[in-house]
Amino acid sequence: MAKDGSTAATDGTATGSGDIARSLELLWGTGERPSRGPKPGLTLDRIVTAAVAVADAEGLAAVSMRRLSTELGTGTMSLYRYVPGKAELLDLMLDRVLGEPLPSDTGTDTDTDTGADPADASGAPAEPADAPADWRAAIDTMARTYLDNLRRHPWLLKINQARTVLGPSALRGLELSLTSLRTMGLRDPELIGVIITVNSFVEGLARTQADEAEAVAQTGLSDEEFWDNQRPYLERAMLSGAYPMMAGMSEDTFSPEFDHFEFGLRRLIAGFEALVAERTAERAAESTSEAAGTAGTSG
């Protein structure tokens, strides 16, 4: 373990696995910037943009300093003037894509900057934006936005984000989520629990979809072809009488037309509604009890 608390891993598969201090400096724009030349052709913003593009197209394993130098038409060593390595670059990539769903201030051109500005490089807005007034709509938007983000950047599902180095976009996203959910009237740990529950649900579905696509690419078999190969064995199993529950299920049980995302999201929101109603009733009962106690004392 490094003296700054980071792990020794440098393969870029886990956030916070590089030089944490350097990642934070780059994310928040507090580190020393490379000297500016007459016509700077390389910026941290361009490096992160190129890295995200490579990861989107070919996966995280394809991202390397050598590959990026080719994409950007520069020497590999030039990149190290901006970012120490892939592990720190991953921290910047994560904050970049986390900022994509957020409102952004487009008044600044980051391509001409040689350093990392928190608002510009991350895409996070300089001023707070209005949050959805209804927490139900906020959860709905939160889930759909995250699912869309994971579909655009499936490599996000391949990295360990248990110890994320928090940059401007990560904090901005959390701030907007908490602002939108504050009307639920839950305790702070419960609000965080709502966000974790929604994100975990979305990640589970997104991972299943990504795994299905990866399986098709690796085997060359479509989902239909895969299950057709098993059909004779499954039909014999159902006729054996050993699986009466499954044998009695309707033909559309596993239909791709059923929207599991919509079903699960509606059930999650309904569950949170029940919790909010429970908390509201508890507060009402406490208020009534306090009022009765005050009345008894004054009498």
Short mmCIF file of all heavy atoms in Angstrom, two decimals, residues 113-185:
data_model
loop_
_atom_site.label_atom_id
_atom_site.label_comp_id
_atom_site.label_asym_id
_atom_site.label_seq_id
_atom_site.Cartn_x
_atom_site.Cartn_y
_atom_site.Cartn_z
N ASP A 113 -7.62 24.51 -22.86
CA ASP A 113 -7.07 24.60 -21.51
C ASP A 113 -6.07 23.47 -21.31
O ASP A 113 -6.31 22.34 -21.73
CB ASP A 113 -8.21 24.50 -20.48
CG ASP A 113 -7.73 24.80 -19.08
OD1 ASP A 113 -6.58 25.24 -18.91
OD2 ASP A 113 -8.53 24.61 -18.15
N THR A 114 -4.97 23.74 -20.63
CA THR A 114 -3.97 22.69 -20.40
C THR A 114 -4.11 22.07 -19.04
O THR A 114 -3.34 21.18 -18.68
CB THR A 114 -2.55 23.28 -20.53
OG1 THR A 114 -2.41 24.35 -19.60
CG2 THR A 114 -2.31 23.77 -21.93
N GLY A 115 -5.07 22.49 -18.26
CA GLY A 115 -5.25 21.91 -16.93
C GLY A 115 -6.65 21.41 -16.76
O GLY A 115 -7.48 21.49 -17.64
N ALA A 116 -6.95 20.91 -15.56
CA ALA A 116 -8.27 20.36 -15.28
C ALA A 116 -9.06 21.34 -14.46
O ALA A 116 -8.74 21.59 -13.31
CB ALA A 116 -8.13 19.02 -14.53
N ASP A 117 -10.08 21.89 -15.05
CA ASP A 117 -10.96 22.78 -14.31
C ASP A 117 -12.15 21.96 -13.83
O ASP A 117 -12.75 21.22 -14.62
CB ASP A 117 -11.47 23.91 -15.21
CG ASP A 117 -12.37 24.87 -14.47
OD1 ASP A 117 -11.84 25.84 -13.92
OD2 ASP A 117 -13.58 24.64 -14.44
N PRO A 118 -12.53 22.02 -12.56
CA PRO A 118 -13.57 21.15 -12.04
C PRO A 118 -14.87 21.24 -12.81
O PRO A 118 -15.51 20.25 -13.07
CB PRO A 118 -13.74 21.64 -10.59
CG PRO A 118 -12.44 22.26 -10.25
CD PRO A 118 -11.93 22.87 -11.53
N ALA A 119 -15.29 22.45 -13.17
CA ALA A 119 -16.57 22.59 -13.86
C ALA A 119 -16.45 22.17 -15.31
O ALA A 119 -17.30 21.48 -15.85
CB ALA A 119 -17.05 24.03 -13.77
N ASP A 120 -15.32 22.56 -15.97
CA ASP A 120 -15.19 22.31 -17.39
C ASP A 120 -14.92 20.84 -17.70
O ASP A 120 -15.59 20.23 -18.51
CB ASP A 120 -14.06 23.16 -17.97
CG ASP A 120 -14.32 24.64 -17.78
OD1 ASP A 120 -15.48 25.02 -17.61
OD2 ASP A 120 -13.34 25.39 -17.78
N ALA A 121 -13.91 20.26 -17.05
CA ALA A 121 -13.48 18.92 -17.39
C ALA A 121 -14.51 17.87 -17.02
O ALA A 121 -14.62 16.85 -17.66
CB ALA A 121 -12.16 18.60 -16.70
N SER A 122 -15.28 18.10 -15.97
CA SER A 122 -16.23 17.09 -15.51
C SER A 122 -17.59 17.23 -16.16
O SER A 122 -18.39 16.31 -16.15
CB SER A 122 -16.40 17.20 -14.00
OG SER A 122 -17.06 18.40 -13.67
N GLY A 123 -17.90 18.39 -16.69
CA GLY A 123 -19.22 18.61 -17.24
C GLY A 123 -20.21 19.05 -16.20
O GLY A 123 -21.40 19.21 -16.48
N ALA A 124 -19.79 19.24 -14.95
CA ALA A 124 -20.71 19.64 -13.90
C ALA A 124 -20.99 21.14 -14.00
O ALA A 124 -20.13 21.91 -14.38
CB ALA A 124 -20.09 19.34 -12.53
N PRO A 125 -22.20 21.58 -13.68
CA PRO A 125 -22.55 22.97 -13.81
C PRO A 125 -21.93 23.83 -12.72
O PRO A 125 -21.62 23.35 -11.64
CB PRO A 125 -24.08 22.96 -13.67
CG PRO A 125 -24.34 21.76 -12.82
CD PRO A 125 -23.29 20.75 -13.19
N ALA A 126 -21.73 25.08 -13.02
CA ALA A 126 -21.16 25.99 -12.03
C ALA A 126 -22.21 26.42 -11.01
O ALA A 126 -21.90 26.73 -9.88
CB ALA A 126 -20.57 27.21 -12.73
N GLU A 127 -23.45 26.46 -11.44
CA GLU A 127 -24.52 26.89 -10.55
C GLU A 127 -25.51 25.75 -10.35
O GLU A 127 -25.74 24.94 -11.25
CB GLU A 127 -25.26 28.10 -11.14
CG GLU A 127 -24.38 29.34 -11.29
CD GLU A 127 -23.91 29.88 -9.95
OE1 GLU A 127 -24.62 29.66 -8.95
OE2 GLU A 127 -22.84 30.49 -9.90
N PRO A 128 -26.16 25.65 -9.16
CA PRO A 128 -27.12 24.59 -8.91
C PRO A 128 -28.29 24.66 -9.88
O PRO A 128 -28.72 25.73 -10.27
CB PRO A 128 -27.59 24.87 -7.46
CG PRO A 128 -26.48 25.67 -6.86
CD PRO A 128 -25.93 26.50 -7.98
N ALA A 129 -28.78 23.51 -10.26
CA ALA A 129 -29.95 23.44 -11.13
C ALA A 129 -31.15 23.00 -10.31
O ALA A 129 -31.02 22.40 -9.25
CB ALA A 129 -29.71 22.44 -12.26
N ASP A 130 -32.34 23.32 -10.80
CA ASP A 130 -33.55 22.94 -10.08
C ASP A 130 -33.71 21.42 -10.10
O ASP A 130 -33.54 20.77 -11.12
CB ASP A 130 -34.78 23.58 -10.75
CG ASP A 130 -34.79 25.09 -10.56
OD1 ASP A 130 -34.18 25.55 -9.60
OD2 ASP A 130 -35.40 25.79 -11.40
N ALA A 131 -34.03 20.86 -8.96
CA ALA A 131 -34.24 19.41 -8.85
C ALA A 131 -35.74 19.12 -9.02
O ALA A 131 -36.57 19.98 -8.77
CB ALA A 131 -33.76 18.92 -7.48
N PRO A 132 -36.09 17.89 -9.47
CA PRO A 132 -37.50 17.53 -9.58
C PRO A 132 -38.23 17.74 -8.25
O PRO A 132 -37.72 17.39 -7.20
CB PRO A 132 -37.45 16.05 -9.96
CG PRO A 132 -36.12 15.89 -10.63
CD PRO A 132 -35.20 16.82 -9.91
N ALA A 133 -39.42 18.33 -8.33
CA ALA A 133 -40.17 18.64 -7.11
C ALA A 133 -40.74 17.38 -6.46
O ALA A 133 -40.88 17.32 -5.24
CB ALA A 133 -41.31 19.62 -7.44
N ASP A 134 -41.07 16.37 -7.24
CA ASP A 134 -41.67 15.15 -6.71
C ASP A 134 -40.61 14.06 -6.62
O ASP A 134 -39.92 13.76 -7.61
CB ASP A 134 -42.81 14.70 -7.62
CG ASP A 134 -43.50 13.46 -7.09
OD1 ASP A 134 -44.22 13.57 -6.08
OD2 ASP A 134 -43.29 12.38 -7.68
N TRP A 135 -40.47 13.46 -5.45
CA TRP A 135 -39.43 12.46 -5.28
C TRP A 135 -39.67 11.22 -6.13
O TRP A 135 -38.70 10.53 -6.52
CB TRP A 135 -39.28 12.09 -3.81
CG TRP A 135 -40.46 11.44 -3.15
CD1 TRP A 135 -41.42 12.04 -2.40
CD2 TRP A 135 -40.80 10.04 -3.19
NE1 TRP A 135 -42.34 11.11 -1.95
CE2 TRP A 135 -41.98 9.87 -2.42
CE3 TRP A 135 -40.23 8.92 -3.78
CZ2 TRP A 135 -42.60 8.64 -2.25
CZ3 TRP A 135 -40.84 7.68 -3.61
CH2 TRP A 135 -42.01 7.55 -2.84
N ARG A 136 -40.92 10.92 -6.45
CA ARG A 136 -41.21 9.76 -7.31
C ARG A 136 -40.65 9.99 -8.71
O ARG A 136 -40.03 9.11 -9.30
CB ARG A 136 -42.71 9.52 -7.37
CG ARG A 136 -43.35 9.20 -6.03
CD ARG A 136 -44.86 9.28 -6.11
NE ARG A 136 -45.50 9.16 -4.81
CZ ARG A 136 -45.60 10.18 -3.95
NH1 ARG A 136 -45.12 11.37 -4.26
NH2 ARG A 136 -46.19 10.01 -2.77
N ALA A 137 -40.88 11.20 -9.22
CA ALA A 137 -40.34 11.54 -10.53
C ALA A 137 -38.82 11.55 -10.49
O ALA A 137 -38.15 11.17 -11.47
CB ALA A 137 -40.87 12.91 -10.97
N ALA A 138 -38.26 11.97 -9.36
CA ALA A 138 -36.81 12.01 -9.21
C ALA A 138 -36.22 10.60 -9.28
O ALA A 138 -35.19 10.37 -9.94
CB ALA A 138 -36.43 12.68 -7.90
N ILE A 139 -36.84 9.64 -8.60
CA ILE A 139 -36.35 8.26 -8.63
C ILE A 139 -36.49 7.69 -10.03
O ILE A 139 -35.59 7.00 -10.53
CB ILE A 139 -37.13 7.41 -7.61
CG1 ILE A 139 -36.72 7.79 -6.18
CG2 ILE A 139 -36.88 5.92 -7.86
CD1 ILE A 139 -37.45 7.03 -5.10
N ASP A 140 -37.60 7.97 -10.69
CA ASP A 140 -37.82 7.50 -12.05
C ASP A 140 -36.73 8.04 -12.98
O ASP A 140 -36.11 7.29 -13.76
CB ASP A 140 -39.19 7.96 -12.54
CG ASP A 140 -39.57 7.35 -13.88
OD1 ASP A 140 -39.12 7.89 -14.91
OD2 ASP A 140 -40.30 6.34 -13.91
N THR A 141 -36.46 9.33 -12.89
CA THR A 141 -35.43 9.95 -13.72
C THR A 141 -34.05 9.41 -13.38
O THR A 141 -33.23 9.13 -14.27
CB THR A 141 -35.44 11.48 -13.54
OG1 THR A 141 -36.73 11.99 -13.93
CG2 THR A 141 -34.35 12.14 -14.35
N MET A 142 -33.78 9.26 -12.09
CA MET A 142 -32.50 8.73 -11.62
C MET A 142 -32.24 7.35 -12.22
O MET A 142 -31.14 7.08 -12.74
CB MET A 142 -32.51 8.64 -10.10
CG MET A 142 -31.21 8.21 -9.47
SD MET A 142 -31.41 7.79 -7.71
CE MET A 142 -32.34 9.22 -7.12
N ALA A 143 -33.23 6.49 -12.19
CA ALA A 143 -33.07 5.12 -12.67
C ALA A 143 -32.88 5.09 -14.19
O ALA A 143 -31.99 4.40 -14.70
CB ALA A 143 -34.28 4.28 -12.28
N ARG A 144 -33.70 5.83 -14.91
CA ARG A 144 -33.61 5.81 -16.37
C ARG A 144 -32.31 6.44 -16.87
O ARG A 144 -31.71 5.97 -17.83
CB ARG A 144 -34.82 6.52 -16.98
CG ARG A 144 -36.14 5.83 -16.68
CD ARG A 144 -37.33 6.55 -17.29
NE ARG A 144 -38.57 6.00 -16.76
CZ ARG A 144 -39.13 4.85 -17.18
NH1 ARG A 144 -38.55 4.17 -18.15
NH2 ARG A 144 -40.25 4.43 -16.65
N THR A 145 -31.89 7.50 -16.21
CA THR A 145 -30.65 8.17 -16.60
C THR A 145 -29.46 7.26 -16.37
O THR A 145 -28.55 7.17 -17.20
CB THR A 145 -30.48 9.47 -15.81
OG1 THR A 145 -31.58 10.35 -16.08
CG2 THR A 145 -29.19 10.18 -16.21
N TYR A 146 -29.45 6.57 -15.23
CA TYR A 146 -28.32 5.69 -14.92
C TYR A 146 -28.29 4.50 -15.88
O TYR A 146 -27.21 4.09 -16.34
CB TYR A 146 -28.44 5.21 -13.47
CG TYR A 146 -27.21 4.50 -12.95
CD1 TYR A 146 -25.94 4.86 -13.38
CD2 TYR A 146 -27.33 3.49 -12.01
CE1 TYR A 146 -24.81 4.22 -12.89
CE2 TYR A 146 -26.20 2.84 -11.51
CZ TYR A 146 -24.94 3.22 -11.96
OH TYR A 146 -23.83 2.58 -11.49
N LEU A 147 -29.46 3.95 -16.20
CA LEU A 147 -29.51 2.83 -17.14
C LEU A 147 -28.98 3.26 -18.51
O LEU A 147 -28.21 2.53 -19.15
CB LEU A 147 -30.95 2.31 -17.27
CG LEU A 147 -31.15 1.12 -18.22
CD1 LEU A 147 -30.35 -0.09 -17.74
CD2 LEU A 147 -32.62 0.77 -18.34
N ASP A 148 -29.38 4.44 -18.95
CA ASP A 148 -28.90 4.96 -20.23
C ASP A 148 -27.39 5.15 -20.20
O ASP A 148 -26.68 4.85 -21.17
CB ASP A 148 -29.60 6.28 -20.55
CG ASP A 148 -29.18 6.85 -21.89
OD1 ASP A 148 -29.40 6.17 -22.91
OD2 ASP A 148 -28.63 7.97 -21.92
N ASN A 149 -26.87 5.63 -19.08
CA ASN A 149 -25.44 5.85 -18.94
C ASN A 149 -24.67 4.53 -19.00
O ASN A 149 -23.61 4.44 -19.63
CB ASN A 149 -25.16 6.57 -17.62
CG ASN A 149 -23.93 7.47 -17.69
OD1 ASN A 149 -23.38 7.72 -18.75
ND2 ASN A 149 -23.53 8.00 -16.56
N LEU A 150 -25.19 3.51 -18.35
CA LEU A 150 -24.53 2.20 -18.35
C LEU A 150 -24.59 1.55 -19.74
O LEU A 150 -23.67 0.81 -20.11
CB LEU A 150 -25.19 1.28 -17.32
CG LEU A 150 -24.98 1.68 -15.85
CD1 LEU A 150 -25.78 0.76 -14.93
CD2 LEU A 150 -23.50 1.65 -15.48
N ARG A 151 -25.63 1.83 -20.48
CA ARG A 151 -25.71 1.29 -21.84
C ARG A 151 -24.73 1.99 -22.77
O ARG A 151 -24.17 1.36 -23.67
CB ARG A 151 -27.13 1.43 -22.37
CG ARG A 151 -28.12 0.44 -21.76
CD ARG A 151 -29.54 0.74 -22.17
NE ARG A 151 -30.45 -0.32 -21.75
CZ ARG A 151 -31.78 -0.23 -21.81
NH1 ARG A 151 -32.34 0.90 -22.27
NH2 ARG A 151 -32.54 -1.22 -21.40
N ARG A 152 -24.53 3.28 -22.56
CA ARG A 152 -23.56 4.02 -23.37
C ARG A 152 -22.13 3.64 -23.02
O ARG A 152 -21.25 3.65 -23.88
CB ARG A 152 -23.74 5.53 -23.19
CG ARG A 152 -24.99 6.11 -23.80
CD ARG A 152 -24.85 7.62 -23.97
NE ARG A 152 -24.36 8.28 -22.77
CZ ARG A 152 -25.14 8.70 -21.78
NH1 ARG A 152 -26.45 8.50 -21.85
NH2 ARG A 152 -24.64 9.31 -20.72
N HIS A 153 -21.93 3.32 -21.74
CA HIS A 153 -20.58 3.02 -21.26
C HIS A 153 -20.58 1.69 -20.50
O HIS A 153 -20.43 1.66 -19.27
CB HIS A 153 -20.08 4.13 -20.35
CG HIS A 153 -20.22 5.51 -20.91
ND1 HIS A 153 -19.50 5.96 -22.01
CD2 HIS A 153 -21.01 6.55 -20.53
CE1 HIS A 153 -19.83 7.21 -22.26
NE2 HIS A 153 -20.74 7.59 -21.40
N PRO A 154 -20.74 0.57 -21.20
CA PRO A 154 -20.83 -0.73 -20.51
C PRO A 154 -19.59 -1.09 -19.71
O PRO A 154 -19.67 -1.94 -18.81
CB PRO A 154 -21.07 -1.72 -21.66
CG PRO A 154 -20.62 -1.01 -22.90
CD PRO A 154 -20.89 0.44 -22.66
N TRP A 155 -18.46 -0.46 -19.99
CA TRP A 155 -17.24 -0.74 -19.23
C TRP A 155 -17.38 -0.33 -17.76
O TRP A 155 -16.63 -0.81 -16.91
CB TRP A 155 -16.03 -0.03 -19.85
CG TRP A 155 -16.22 1.43 -20.13
CD1 TRP A 155 -16.73 2.00 -21.26
CD2 TRP A 155 -15.89 2.52 -19.25
NE1 TRP A 155 -16.74 3.38 -21.14
CE2 TRP A 155 -16.23 3.72 -19.92
CE3 TRP A 155 -15.35 2.60 -17.98
CZ2 TRP A 155 -16.05 4.98 -19.35
CZ3 TRP A 155 -15.16 3.85 -17.40
CH2 TRP A 155 -15.51 5.02 -18.09
N LEU A 156 -18.36 0.54 -17.46
CA LEU A 156 -18.59 0.93 -16.07
C LEU A 156 -18.94 -0.28 -15.21
O LEU A 156 -18.65 -0.32 -14.01
CB LEU A 156 -19.73 1.95 -15.99
CG LEU A 156 -19.42 3.37 -16.46
CD1 LEU A 156 -20.69 4.20 -16.53
CD2 LEU A 156 -18.41 4.03 -15.53
N LEU A 157 -19.57 -1.28 -15.83
CA LEU A 157 -19.97 -2.48 -15.10
C LEU A 157 -18.79 -3.41 -14.82
O LEU A 157 -18.93 -4.36 -14.06
CB LEU A 157 -21.04 -3.23 -15.89
CG LEU A 157 -22.37 -2.48 -16.09
CD1 LEU A 157 -23.21 -3.16 -17.17
CD2 LEU A 157 -23.13 -2.41 -14.77
N LYS A 158 -17.64 -3.13 -15.43
CA LYS A 158 -16.49 -4.00 -15.28
C LYS A 158 -15.51 -3.52 -14.22
O LYS A 158 -14.54 -4.22 -13.92
CB LYS A 158 -15.74 -4.09 -16.62
CG LYS A 158 -16.56 -4.62 -17.78
CD LYS A 158 -16.90 -6.09 -17.60
CE LYS A 158 -17.58 -6.64 -18.84
NZ LYS A 158 -17.89 -8.08 -18.71
N ILE A 159 -15.74 -2.34 -13.66
CA ILE A 159 -14.78 -1.80 -12.71
C ILE A 159 -15.34 -1.82 -11.29
O ILE A 159 -16.55 -1.79 -11.07
CB ILE A 159 -14.36 -0.37 -13.08
CG1 ILE A 159 -15.56 0.58 -13.08
CG2 ILE A 159 -13.68 -0.34 -14.43
CD1 ILE A 159 -15.19 2.02 -13.37
N ASN A 160 -14.43 -1.87 -10.35
CA ASN A 160 -14.77 -1.86 -8.94
C ASN A 160 -14.86 -0.41 -8.47
O ASN A 160 -13.86 0.29 -8.41
CB ASN A 160 -13.70 -2.61 -8.16
CG ASN A 160 -14.00 -2.71 -6.67
OD1 ASN A 160 -14.85 -1.99 -6.14
ND2 ASN A 160 -13.30 -3.60 -5.98
N GLN A 161 -16.07 0.02 -8.13
CA GLN A 161 -16.28 1.40 -7.70
C GLN A 161 -16.52 1.50 -6.19
O GLN A 161 -17.07 2.48 -5.71
CB GLN A 161 -17.47 2.02 -8.44
CG GLN A 161 -17.31 2.09 -9.94
CD GLN A 161 -18.45 2.81 -10.60
OE1 GLN A 161 -18.91 3.85 -10.15
NE2 GLN A 161 -18.94 2.25 -11.70
N ALA A 162 -16.08 0.49 -5.46
CA ALA A 162 -16.32 0.48 -4.01
C ALA A 162 -15.62 1.63 -3.31
O ALA A 162 -16.08 2.12 -2.27
CB ALA A 162 -15.88 -0.86 -3.41
N ARG A 163 -14.48 2.09 -3.87
CA ARG A 163 -13.72 3.17 -3.25
C ARG A 163 -13.46 4.26 -4.30
O ARG A 163 -12.34 4.50 -4.72
CB ARG A 163 -12.41 2.63 -2.68
CG ARG A 163 -12.62 1.57 -1.61
CD ARG A 163 -11.30 1.02 -1.10
NE ARG A 163 -10.53 2.05 -0.39
CZ ARG A 163 -9.34 1.83 0.16
NH1 ARG A 163 -8.79 0.63 0.06
NH2 ARG A 163 -8.71 2.79 0.78
N THR A 164 -14.55 4.90 -4.71
CA THR A 164 -14.46 5.90 -5.76
C THR A 164 -13.79 7.17 -5.24
O THR A 164 -14.11 7.66 -4.16
CB THR A 164 -15.87 6.26 -6.28
OG1 THR A 164 -16.49 5.07 -6.78
CG2 THR A 164 -15.79 7.29 -7.39
N VAL A 165 -12.85 7.69 -6.04
CA VAL A 165 -12.25 8.98 -5.73
C VAL A 165 -13.27 10.04 -6.17
O VAL A 165 -13.55 10.17 -7.35
CB VAL A 165 -10.92 9.16 -6.47
CG1 VAL A 165 -10.32 10.53 -6.16
CG2 VAL A 165 -9.95 8.06 -6.08
N LEU A 166 -13.81 10.77 -5.23
CA LEU A 166 -14.93 11.66 -5.50
C LEU A 166 -14.47 12.96 -6.14
O LEU A 166 -13.73 13.74 -5.55
CB LEU A 166 -15.70 11.95 -4.21
CG LEU A 166 -16.33 10.72 -3.56
CD1 LEU A 166 -17.00 11.10 -2.25
CD2 LEU A 166 -17.34 10.06 -4.50
N GLY A 167 -14.95 13.19 -7.34
CA GLY A 167 -14.67 14.42 -8.06
C GLY A 167 -15.92 15.30 -8.13
O GLY A 167 -16.96 14.98 -7.54
N PRO A 168 -15.85 16.40 -8.87
CA PRO A 168 -16.97 17.34 -8.96
C PRO A 168 -18.27 16.71 -9.46
O PRO A 168 -19.34 16.99 -8.92
CB PRO A 168 -16.46 18.41 -9.93
CG PRO A 168 -14.98 18.31 -9.85
CD PRO A 168 -14.67 16.87 -9.62
N SER A 169 -18.19 15.86 -10.48
CA SER A 169 -19.41 15.28 -11.03
C SER A 169 -20.06 14.29 -10.08
O SER A 169 -21.28 14.26 -9.95
CB SER A 169 -19.10 14.58 -12.36
OG SER A 169 -18.79 15.52 -13.36
N ALA A 170 -19.24 13.47 -9.41
CA ALA A 170 -19.79 12.51 -8.46
C ALA A 170 -20.52 13.22 -7.33
O ALA A 170 -21.64 12.85 -6.95
CB ALA A 170 -18.67 11.63 -7.90
N LEU A 171 -19.89 14.26 -6.79
CA LEU A 171 -20.53 15.01 -5.70
C LEU A 171 -21.75 15.78 -6.20
O LEU A 171 -22.75 15.88 -5.49
CB LEU A 171 -19.53 15.97 -5.07
CG LEU A 171 -18.42 15.34 -4.22
CD1 LEU A 171 -17.58 16.43 -3.56
CD2 LEU A 171 -18.99 14.40 -3.16
N ARG A 172 -21.65 16.33 -7.41
CA ARG A 172 -22.78 17.07 -7.96
C ARG A 172 -23.99 16.16 -8.17
O ARG A 172 -25.12 16.53 -7.86
CB ARG A 172 -22.37 17.72 -9.27
CG ARG A 172 -23.46 18.55 -9.94
CD ARG A 172 -23.91 19.69 -9.06
NE ARG A 172 -24.93 20.48 -9.72
CZ ARG A 172 -25.71 21.35 -9.09
NH1 ARG A 172 -25.55 21.53 -7.79
NH2 ARG A 172 -26.61 22.04 -9.74
N GLY A 173 -23.74 14.97 -8.69
CA GLY A 173 -24.83 14.02 -8.89
C GLY A 173 -25.49 13.62 -7.58
O GLY A 173 -26.71 13.53 -7.48
N LEU A 174 -24.66 13.39 -6.55
CA LEU A 174 -25.20 13.03 -5.24
C LEU A 174 -25.99 14.19 -4.65
O LEU A 174 -27.06 13.99 -4.05
CB LEU A 174 -24.06 12.62 -4.30
CG LEU A 174 -24.47 12.15 -2.90
CD1 LEU A 174 -25.42 10.98 -2.97
CD2 LEU A 174 -23.22 11.80 -2.09
N GLU A 175 -25.48 15.40 -4.82
CA GLU A 175 -26.17 16.59 -4.31
C GLU A 175 -27.55 16.74 -4.96
O GLU A 175 -28.54 16.99 -4.28
CB GLU A 175 -25.32 17.83 -4.58
CG GLU A 175 -25.98 19.15 -4.19
CD GLU A 175 -26.07 19.37 -2.69
OE1 GLU A 175 -25.39 18.63 -1.94
OE2 GLU A 175 -26.81 20.27 -2.27
N LEU A 176 -27.62 16.58 -6.27
CA LEU A 176 -28.89 16.71 -6.98
C LEU A 176 -29.86 15.61 -6.56
O LEU A 176 -31.06 15.86 -6.38
CB LEU A 176 -28.66 16.66 -8.48
CG LEU A 176 -28.00 17.88 -9.11
CD1 LEU A 176 -27.72 17.64 -10.59
CD2 LEU A 176 -28.87 19.12 -8.94
N SER A 177 -29.35 14.38 -6.39
CA SER A 177 -30.21 13.27 -5.98
C SER A 177 -30.79 13.52 -4.59
O SER A 177 -31.99 13.35 -4.36
CB SER A 177 -29.44 11.96 -5.99
OG SER A 177 -29.01 11.63 -7.30
N LEU A 178 -29.95 13.92 -3.66
CA LEU A 178 -30.40 14.16 -2.28
C LEU A 178 -31.39 15.33 -2.23
O LEU A 178 -32.37 15.30 -1.48
CB LEU A 178 -29.21 14.44 -1.37
CG LEU A 178 -28.29 13.23 -1.12
CD1 LEU A 178 -27.04 13.68 -0.36
CD2 LEU A 178 -29.03 12.15 -0.34
N THR A 179 -31.13 16.35 -3.04
CA THR A 179 -32.05 17.49 -3.09
C THR A 179 -33.41 17.06 -3.58
O THR A 179 -34.45 17.50 -3.06
CB THR A 179 -31.48 18.59 -4.01
OG1 THR A 179 -30.21 19.02 -3.52
CG2 THR A 179 -32.42 19.79 -4.08
N SER A 180 -33.43 16.18 -4.58
CA SER A 180 -34.69 15.71 -5.14
C SER A 180 -35.45 14.79 -4.18
O SER A 180 -36.69 14.74 -4.21
CB SER A 180 -34.43 14.95 -6.45
OG SER A 180 -33.80 15.77 -7.39
N LEU A 181 -34.72 14.08 -3.32
CA LEU A 181 -35.36 13.10 -2.44
C LEU A 181 -35.69 13.64 -1.06
O LEU A 181 -36.29 12.95 -0.25
CB LEU A 181 -34.44 11.88 -2.29
CG LEU A 181 -34.08 11.12 -3.57
CD1 LEU A 181 -33.12 9.97 -3.25
CD2 LEU A 181 -35.33 10.59 -4.26
N ARG A 182 -35.30 14.88 -0.77
CA ARG A 182 -35.45 15.41 0.59
C ARG A 182 -36.91 15.45 1.04
O ARG A 182 -37.20 15.37 2.24
CB ARG A 182 -34.83 16.81 0.69
CG ARG A 182 -35.58 17.89 -0.06
CD ARG A 182 -34.80 19.20 -0.07
NE ARG A 182 -35.56 20.29 -0.65
CZ ARG A 182 -35.73 20.49 -1.94
NH1 ARG A 182 -35.19 19.64 -2.80
NH2 ARG A 182 -36.43 21.52 -2.40
N THR A 183 -37.85 15.58 0.09
CA THR A 183 -39.27 15.66 0.47
C THR A 183 -39.83 14.33 0.93
O THR A 183 -40.98 14.27 1.39
CB THR A 183 -40.11 16.17 -0.72
OG1 THR A 183 -39.91 15.32 -1.85
CG2 THR A 183 -39.71 17.60 -1.09
N MET A 184 -39.04 13.25 0.84
CA MET A 184 -39.52 11.95 1.32
C MET A 184 -39.64 11.97 2.85
O MET A 184 -40.39 11.15 3.41
CB MET A 184 -38.57 10.84 0.90
CG MET A 184 -38.48 10.62 -0.60
SD MET A 184 -37.33 9.29 -1.07
CE MET A 184 -38.31 7.83 -0.67
N GLY A 185 -38.89 12.86 3.49
CA GLY A 185 -38.97 12.93 4.94
C GLY A 185 -38.29 11.79 5.65
O GLY A 185 -38.61 11.48 6.80
#
